Amino acid sequence: MNSLGFDKAPAATRIVVAMSGGVDSSVTAALLAEQGYDVVGVTLQLYDHGAAVGRKGACCAGQDIYDAHRVAEKIGIPHYVLDYESKFSQSVMDDFADSYLRGETPIPCVRCNQSVKFRDLLAVAKDLGAEALATGHYVRRVMGPNGPELHRARDAGRDQSYFLFATTREQLEFLRFPLGELTKPETRALAERFNLPVAAKPDSQDICFVPDGDYASVVNKLRPGAIDPGDIVDGTGNVLGRHEGIIHFTVGQRRGLNIGDRDGENNEPLYVVRLDAAKKQVIVGPKPALAQTQVALRNLNWLGEGADGEIDVTVRLRSAQPPVQARFRLEEAGGRVTLDEPAFGVAPGQAGVLYQGDRVLGGGWITAA
């Protein structure tokens, strides 16, 4: 077996590497090329590259495509750029806008992995005769008794398993994650050893198609005229103020409520408790009103074995939050999570990702709390 689990020499094993132009995917390609694999680099142009030239923190456009090409030249592998702008717009950007208009808080990076990268690009890799598609994600693919399993990365601070919960069993058979056992400093050191032109390039920070974190302007551009003002109300329906569109809010938000001096009874701070898209209302309340112990998940992707009755798990409800103890039950429409302790700021549109130890059992989209 070679290092990627194939019973053949690396030189006889073609691997397509998804190259975004960043350090992680560049080191992935360089590592596999050094090990003697038949590496082919593929970069996806996902949105108008002209608008992203010179923009820091972007990916998959403009400067990043150029950087991926320079890396491929440096390590001596073929490199192809595929125009996926239309696919990305339909599968990711449109869903992003519509989710906000429904009063949800979407995660477009999950949608991108779920559709464009692990569906469309994976099909391209197979068409190119590849044995696997390798990416620069910090996550581990571990062989278990029933096939490959998805596990957290060794570097907990870089772990990206939350964003890959929608990876299917079939996709996991074909995917490889060479950086899963590395820390970010180790990856940077490898980039320097390979003398890659992106060795000092900063990590991308924002969502690639959302400049400066201005979600509202992107939604307004994608859905002109769809953003309506409405009322900010308390739990009993009393109007406390006005807003310029529910897309400006997320469950758990405290700042920017624009309700004047009103700060709740006994002067307690008020938070966004719920968004009602049909009524165009932002419902606010004190922090205890945010407490949730029951979370329903839809469109569940299950990577574990059978789950009869309730099983003990840990669940991550937002990417920046640590997993918490819970019990999970599979249901016909998805699944239900019962938290051991109340969680605050559980937002529809985010993901609930389930773990047992380091293993990802699966996850789904939070639909109600």
Side-chain angles (χ1 to χ4, degrees), residues 17-322:
V17 177
M19 298 181 68
S20 68
V23 175
D24 298 329
S25 61
S26 297
V27 168
T28 298
L31 273 174
L32 295 177
E34 182 185 58
Q35 293 171 15
Y37 288 97
D38 176 13
V39 178
V40 177
V42 174
T43 300
L44 304 181
Q45 178 192 311
L46 298 182
Y47 59 100
D48 180 13
H49 61 282
V53 173
R55 224 194 85 207
K56 294 182 178 179
C59 71
C60 304
Q63 182 66 43
D64 303 284
I65 293 175
Y66 175 65
D67 288 342
H69 183 67
R70 288 197 300 156
V71 169
E73 280 190 328
K74 175 68 178 178
I75 62 180
I77 64 170
H79 176 245
Y80 301 97
V81 178
L82 304 181
D83 184 353
Y84 271 32
E85 188 172 342
S86 177
K87 291 178 181 288
F88 184 72
S89 177
Q90 294 172 10
S91 299
V92 181
M93 295 176 67
D94 286 348
D95 176 81
F96 174 84
D98 292 339
S99 183
Y100 262 114
L101 292 173
R102 290 194 300 268
E104 300 174 346
T105 305
I107 317 173
C109 294
V110 174
R111 291 294 190 194
C112 185
N113 291 328
Q114 184 181 24
S115 56
V116 175
K117 291 181 180 176
F118 288 176
R119 182 191 67 199
D120 299 331
L121 179 56
L122 191 145
V124 169
K126 290 182 177 180
D127 288 343
L128 290 173
E131 302 282 355
L133 172 66
T135 78
H137 288 103
Y138 286 87
V139 68
R140 290 183 297 144
R141 177 185 181 275
V142 176
M143 287 304 299
N146 297 303
E149 301 171 353
L150 192 64
H151 286 237
R152 288 184 240 221
R154 181 168 70 87
D155 184 347
R158 299 296 304 185
D159 174 56
Q160 293 173 298
S161 60
Y162 180 86
F163 299 100
L164 298 181
F165 81 87
T167 305
T168 66
R169 290 177 181 272
E170 182 182 8
Q171 291 167 346
L172 198 56
E173 290 279 356
F174 196 73
L175 289 165
R176 297 295 187 275
F177 308 105
L179 303 188
E181 296 288 349
L182 301 181
T183 65
K184 185 67 179 196
E186 289 170 339
T187 299
R188 288 279 183 190
L190 284 170
E192 292 178 1
R193 178 168 74 79
F194 290 127
N195 196 25
L196 299 181
V198 297
K201 187 175 182 177
D203 293 337
S204 59
Q205 299 295 328
D206 298 325
I207 297 170
C208 63
F209 60 92
V210 181
D212 305 318
D214 189 357
Y215 306 112
S217 66
V218 173
V219 176
N220 193 45
K221 182 178 179 180
L222 293 170
R223 297 290 183 270
I227 302 174
D228 295 321
D231 292 328
I232 300 175
V233 302
D234 64 17
T236 58
N238 296 315
V239 177
L240 306 181
R242 293 283 290 174
H243 65 78
E244 296 302 317
I246 61 173
I247 67 168
H248 296 283
F249 302 90
T250 184
V251 172
Q253 180 176 332
R254 179 181 174 186
R255 297 180 182 274
L257 296 182
N258 299 319
I259 51 178
D261 296 331
R262 175 64 186 263
D263 211 19
E265 296 180 4
N266 302 320
N267 206 36
E268 79 261 83
L270 297 178
Y271 299 81
V272 176
V273 174
R274 186 166 55 87
L275 300 173
D276 189 327
K279 295 181 179 179
K280 303 179 179 60
Q281 287 183 339
V282 175
I283 299 92
V284 299
K287 187 173 182 179
L290 283 170
Q292 303 290 349
T293 58
Q294 296 283 324
V295 182
L297 303 179
R298 58 179 168 82
N299 297 338
L300 190 77
N301 181 54
W302 186 248
L303 295 172
E305 281 69 56
D308 295 330
E310 284 192 330
I311 60 172
D312 291 328
V313 297
T314 58
V315 59
R316 178 170 282 164
L317 299 172
R318 290 213 186 207
S319 62
Q321 295 178 352

Side-chain angles (χ1 to χ4, degrees), residues 321-359:
Q321 295 178 352
V324 295
Q325 296 293 325
R327 284 159 287 130
F328 174 73
R329 179 186 294 274
L330 281 171
E331 296 181 346
E332 185 175 347
R336 181 166 297 276
V337 177
T338 302
L339 305 172
D340 287 4
E341 299 289 340
F344 298 85
V346 179
Q350 293 285 291
V353 181
L354 309 162
Y355 299 85
Q356 278 188 340
D358 283 338
R359 183 184 179 186

